[in-house]
Amino acid sequence: APEIDILDVPGWDCQPYDRVSPHAGVVARRMTALSRLAKTASSAERPRVVTTTVDCLLQRVPMRKQVAAESFSAAPGNAVDIPDLSRWLEVNGFSRAGTVRDVGEYAVRGGIVDLYPPGPMGPIRLDFFGDELETLRLFDPNTQRSVQPVETHLLLPASEALLDEDSIKRFRSRYRELFGANATGD
């Protein structure tokens, strides 16, 4: 049925509250599917089927409006403030590194931002002239050499847990409520 849009939302490859995080590839597939669900609607002309596991159905996911708002479209000619892009990457689960080698890492070197977003595309090099994005290129994480140009790319969060100021404040207050000295009756 080629007219049906099929979205696969995989379950985590670990248990919630386990000592290990889900594999970056699994998170990438989940965030890609959740983003597609959040940004596009099914219609009678293009019906949609979502495949998933029971564990995944029971697991909480970010709110639809949050997933839709947390993507970043990169295309040549866009005006982008590099410090704002760095903040966006940090809030959305990327970690700063000296050299980008793994999914979820980014590096800033002058007017060049290397990042390894989730998804099948691979690491991307954003080349800026001032605040204008000049080129996007795929690069090899082993040799750090550019491989081929890219017209445009939609960057998605590298993590389902978004660490903005509000979520950190909520976590701290709920943690103190549940596990602080007053919670145990001491």
Side-chain angles (χ1 to χ4, degrees):
E3 70 280 357
I4 296 177
D5 188 18
I6 299 174
L7 290 175
D8 177 41
V9 183
W12 280 359
D13 56 344
C14 63
Q15 297 297 319
Y17 307 106
D18 204 353
R19 290 183 180 193
V20 296
S21 297
H23 187 269
V26 172
V27 174
R29 288 179 36 219
R30 286 175 58 86
M31 290 307 296
T32 301
L34 291 173
S35 178
R36 285 185 57 200
L37 280 170
K39 289 186 176 253
T40 60
S42 181
S43 67
E45 300 85 35
R46 184 100 172 136
R48 176 179 290 157
V49 172
V50 178
T51 62
T52 191
T53 64
V54 174
D55 290 344
C56 185
L57 279 176
L58 298 174
Q59 185 179 351
R60 295 182 77 166
V61 295
M63 292 184 295
R64 181 181 186 152
K65 66 179 181 178
Q66 188 176 18
V67 172
E70 292 301 327
S71 61
F72 175 81
S73 181
N78 287 0
V80 179
D81 185 42
I82 293 177
D84 286 346
L85 177 60
S86 292
R87 279 190 289 284
W88 183 89
L89 291 167
E90 292 283 336
V91 166
N92 287 287
F94 287 82
S95 57
R96 193 167 188 151
T99 303
V100 173
R101 298 206 184 277
D102 215 356
V103 173
E105 294 180 340
Y106 80 98
V108 178
R109 293 184 315 277
I112 295 175
V113 177
D114 288 345
L115 58 104
Y116 205 142
M121 204 166 197
I124 297 177
R125 178 165 289 143
L126 309 175
D127 193 1
F128 291 89
F129 183 73
D131 284 346
E132 183 179 332
L133 181 56
E134 279 194 320
T135 61
L136 282 86
R137 295 173 299 203
L138 296 179
F139 71 93
D140 182 346
N142 295 323
T143 64
Q144 297 293 306
R145 290 186 178 190
S146 295
V147 178
Q148 72 183 55
V150 177
E151 291 297 318
T152 184
H153 186 70
L154 181 66
L155 297 174
L156 300 172
S159 171
E160 293 176 45
L162 303 178
L163 298 176
D164 59 357
E165 288 184 32
D166 291 338
S167 64
I168 292 170
K169 285 179 185 176
R170 272 195 316 275
F171 173 80
R172 285 182 179 157
S173 67
R174 291 289 294 150
Y175 186 87
R176 287 183 192 120
E177 241 176 70
L178 294 172
F179 303 109
N182 294 336
T184 60
D186 293 344

